[in-house]
Amino acid sequence: MHATDDHHAARRGAAIIEDAFLSYIKEFQRFTLQARLRFEARDWLGALQDSADRLDVYNTLARHTVEHLHDLLDEHTRDKDAWRAMKSAYLDRVNDRTDSELAETFFNSITRRIFVTVGVDSDLEFIAAGAVPPDPLEAAGDVAEDFSCAAGVRDAVLRLLRRHEMSIGYADLSGDAARVAEVIERDCGRGTVDGIQAVRSLFFRNKGAYLVGRVRARTRDYPLAIALLNQTGRVSVDAVLLDEDDVSVVFSFTRSYFFVDATRPAAIVSFLRTIMPRKPVGEIYTALGHNKHGKTVFYRALLQHIATTDDQFDIAPGARGMVMLVFALPSFDAVFKIIRDRFAYPKTTTREDVMGRYQLVFKHDRAGRLVDAQEFEHLRFDRRRFSERLLRELEAEASSTVTVTDDSVVLKHVYTERKMTPLDLYLQNASGAEARAAVLDYGEALRDLAATNIFPGDLLLKNFGVTRHGRLIFYDYDELCTLDECNFRKIPPPRNEEDEMSSEPWYYVAPNDVFPEEFLPFLGLPDTLGQVFLASHAELLTPEFWWRMQEQQRAGIVADLLPYPQARRIARD
Ligand SMILES: Nc1ncnc2c1ncn2[C@@H]1O[C@H](COP(=O)(O)OP(=O)(O)O)[C@@H](O)[C@H]1O
Ligand SMILES: [Mg+2]
């Protein structure tokens, strides 16, 4: 190839990648607009379907782009010089965009696929953050609007709600405005509220739509989320959240991603960080539906963390997995999960099946109860950062996925998740009140999962984690299934004395049979906690409960799972 040909091919290649990126953004925006229509039409099944479908867009476009580039570049597809030129031509095209960081991640996705890059390669990838994260004040100016409270809080709330009025209107606009204003004044101080600042676009997810921003009071700002529902064909305010923890739980890593206009993602992220300063930036991108860029940010944060600390990856505290090998850096808030080469008896599942289960969770409504696992390939770390016992375990148990050399550890495939405290460990150190609260929330978690068509499979305490907000989250996915995959059964009555004395079941048990009456003894809770569970959740131990949940699924009923406490709902007369 001639130098000029090279030049031409690089420009063509860059244009192809940019086109694909633009298609991605267009599709993303189409889904965002559609979320509003689903909300207005109360089309909840459609909204769930959109959540799953949107997750395919990126990979589909990336795959087609790779094919297209193969055709264009032919034997030069893996020519690094061509790619260096392409990278710079691409940067010229996307540099001025307000979402240039997403554009860069998209480019990286393409080159990683073509080169099967191990670690990172700065010739082929954008390795530093694209757009400089805007200063929070500037970000607020870009993505939020101010509503002055000079004429009263009620007046400001009224204007805010009007500004976001949907085609179906409010059921009781002035009543809602009064109730929201009352909560704001009560919690932030009467006569002290100067204004409200809210992101210009609504956040849609499942059955909810959220106004997100902050209340400016004399002494400090308060995070603000106003939850809107459409229960009757008209919009009503369901809850007002003014607390960092409450807002943070709405944006949790255990939920599906929002549908929100993100023409200026960096500015929205920067704004959201000011109201949820503890939430990692990567998780915020992910919550906005930009999960690929969320991974990029997570990975950069990890590398930076590693560069500034010196502790070692070690086997994660708690019970060892039979399927997953789990490790973590004590100083970093994530765990790394690798599928073992072999699974101990009695596990009969396969690697493909385990990955299928993780994929199911990725696309399913996580209901605030299933941890989001991000999948990574070809990560490279410094071997010195791994403890000897972890290295031994990786080599013995995961040699098909992990390559250890003199100076590096390369992970061919790994899931990362937020680190939590395994419930079995948590209960060992919990106060009586904390333990009771955890056991009650364990039952609530099973209910929330059942209401979203999920049976977790392995209900043991060690498979649930406790978050910093004290919420119970499930993370062991290899036996997780949808309710229709399970056959919930009553234990048949013993036929005779011999049956009664038998420690083994005397009846045939098929692989998908589930006996809810056995759950409680199986958990091995101390007696007092068992009683706490029974007092609120005895029905979970009956097949009838699960049959009812299956019935709901068959009827296409989408559960109301509110991501905030009952106490934050506004009182109605
Ligand atoms: N997100 C997490 N935070 C903290 N510890 C975890 C997390 N995920 C897993 N673990 C720990 O790793 C163990 C094994 O992980 P798990 O997902 O249950 O795999 P397995 O299917 O092999 O049991 C758990 O029992 C727990 O101690
Ligand atoms: Mg487990």
Side-chain angles (χ1 to χ4, degrees), residues 62 94 100 103 164 166 242 330 391 395 439 482 498 523:
V94 302
S100 59
H164 290 278
M166 296 186 210
L242 289 157
L391 286 174
E395 286 186 302
V439 166
T482 54
E498 205 179 311
L523 289 183

Side-chain angles (χ1 to χ4, degrees), residues 319-323 347 458 460 462-463 475-478:
R320 303 279 170 97
M322 283 200 276
V323 171
K347 293 277 180 190
D458 191 340
L460 288 174
K462 64 180 181 182
N463 293 322
Y475 50 59
D476 182 337
Y477 297 157
D478 63 87

Side-chain angles (χ1 to χ4, degrees), residues 280-296:
V281 172
E283 267 179 33
I284 302 182
Y285 269 106
T286 299
L288 301 181
H290 292 299
N291 52 304
K292 294 288 182 176
H293 190 65
K295 276 175 62 177
T296 306

Side-chain angles (χ1 to χ4, degrees), residues 316-326 335 337 340 347 358 371 417-422 424-425 458 462-463 465 475-478:
R320 303 279 170 97
M322 283 200 276
V323 171
M324 306 303 278
L325 202 171
V326 183
V335 296
K337 300 175 102 161
R340 292 176 187 272
K347 293 277 180 190
Y358 274 76
V371 68
E417 290 172 3
R418 259 292 264 282
K419 190 193 276 173
M420 291 173 281
T421 310
D424 51 340
L425 299 185
D458 191 340
K462 64 180 181 182
N463 293 322
Y475 50 59
D476 182 337
Y477 297 157
D478 63 87

